Amino acid sequence: MVSVINRDAAIGYSHMISVEMMGIVIIIYTLLNLKRFYQNKSLKYLIAAGLLAIGLLGRYFLAVGEQMATTIFQVTAQPLAFLSDRTLPFKDIVVNSLTNAVFHANTVNVGITILLGLGIACGLFYYSKNDRDLIGIALGLFIATTPIMPWHLLDHTIINTIQFPWRFFAIITAIVSYLVAKDECHLLKNKYYFYLLILLLGAGNVIYSTNSIQSQSWRFRTNAAYNTPNPYYIGAGHEYLPAQTDYQKILRHKKQVVKYQPHKIKITNVRHTGGRYQFDFRTLTDQKAVVEVPFIYYKGYVAELNHHQRLPMQMNKRTGLTQVALKGTGRITVYYRTTTIQRIGTVISLLNFGMLIIIIYKEKRRATK
């Protein structure tokens, strides 16, 4: 379990939802085995490993926490999906799995191989005392993808960021794979069962591939089209934008420009290079003039006046874009700069990574003695 926790931290930088799901499983597993952890005095090591994992993800947690504390994002204000709306009746999941249906929102399934493996796991519940907790977790997660689980109670909580209950099929697959590989019933040592499993896997792949080609041919893409994807397919494109941002408007107007009121300020020599905007300005009145730069606002954007004086940046409450109030004359450079909290998070992660290397080194030395 300790190694799983630290592996969980490694996953965090690629897919945070997986860490959230794995964290839930770890908590359930720990609670189910709390007495055993306490008796064999491994609870303190488990807690230490958990803290180390959190430290390794400090760079992520602090950065995201800072943004969430200052901005309302669409992932919470306008959720892509509610967990309670994405469940499927138990019977439908079983039928879809037995037929290896092509996976979509209305054909959610784990596939015939994992379903049968889960069935065998049910039989192992009384045979294998050591793995009852894992079997219980797998069965519980399978049931959790159905309306039996009252997900509506969690629709407006942080748990809803998981979005789709069937994401837990990944955990179920890992548990079933472990149980099959462990083979406590010694089924794989029997050549008839072994070849039956190979046949089952092969047949399942053929069925799934055939169904995919027949029913999803409209999804085929040329190589050229594949290399120029529509932004919509990247996480639907809008989940982590400020709530005020109109995503469809951004898609329609890909060529963004600096916006301002010409009767209040004059803007010249506008340059956009990568993640940086530069322009010269001169205000035409004694009042400050607001200039909107076409960057979606996140805390960390800065505006430098004449390359040395920093001006405060704000979010346009109507568009979710970045704006700055200017007065006088000068040259402005707008770019993203890591915040103090982000830098602290990076230091925390590096220190914990160094600690992890030391722990691994000591364990290897102890093992070779």
Side-chain angles (χ1 to χ4, degrees), residues 111-261:
I112 186 171
T113 306
I114 299 300
L115 182 67
L116 293 179
L118 202 56
I120 295 173
C122 290
L124 284 173
F125 190 84
Y126 294 100
Y127 181 81
S128 175
K129 294 182 179 180
N130 294 329
D131 295 318
R132 284 180 180 176
D133 43 15
L134 288 177
I135 295 169
I137 290 172
L139 293 173
L141 293 179
F142 187 81
I143 294 172
T145 60
T146 72
I148 297 173
M149 174 69 181
W151 285 118
H152 63 277
L153 299 176
L154 302 173
D155 277 345
H156 296 283
T157 69
I158 190 66
I159 301 298
N160 191 65
T161 54
I162 296 173
Q163 300 172 329
F164 311 104
W166 44 258
R167 289 187 191 272
F168 285 107
F169 285 162
I171 307 292
I172 294 173
T173 301
I175 292 174
V176 170
S177 299
Y178 163 77
L179 294 173
V180 170
K182 193 174 182 181
D183 193 25
E184 286 211 2
C185 294
H186 307 296
L187 295 178
L188 297 181
K189 292 182 179 180
N190 185 307
K191 65 178 181 180
Y192 297 108
Y193 286 119
F194 178 78
Y195 288 119
L196 179 63
L197 178 62
I198 299 299
L199 179 63
L200 183 64
L201 289 171
N205 286 334
V206 171
I207 293 171
Y208 191 86
S209 300
T210 302
N211 289 341
S212 296
I213 292 172
Q214 290 178 347
S215 64
Q216 304 295 314
S217 57
W218 61 274
R219 290 179 178 270
F220 287 140
R221 295 287 184 272
T222 63
N223 185 64
Y226 180 79
N227 287 327
T228 54
N230 186 319
Y232 175 82
Y233 294 109
I234 306 174
H238 59 78
E239 296 176 75
Y240 301 103
L241 300 180
Q244 297 88 345
T245 307
D246 187 337
Y247 176 63
Q248 295 302 324
K249 186 176 180 180
I250 291 175
L251 287 182
R252 290 192 302 269
H253 303 91
K254 297 182 187 299
K255 190 175 182 180
Q256 304 294 314
V257 295
V258 175
K259 292 184 179 180
Y260 56 94
Q261 293 177 303

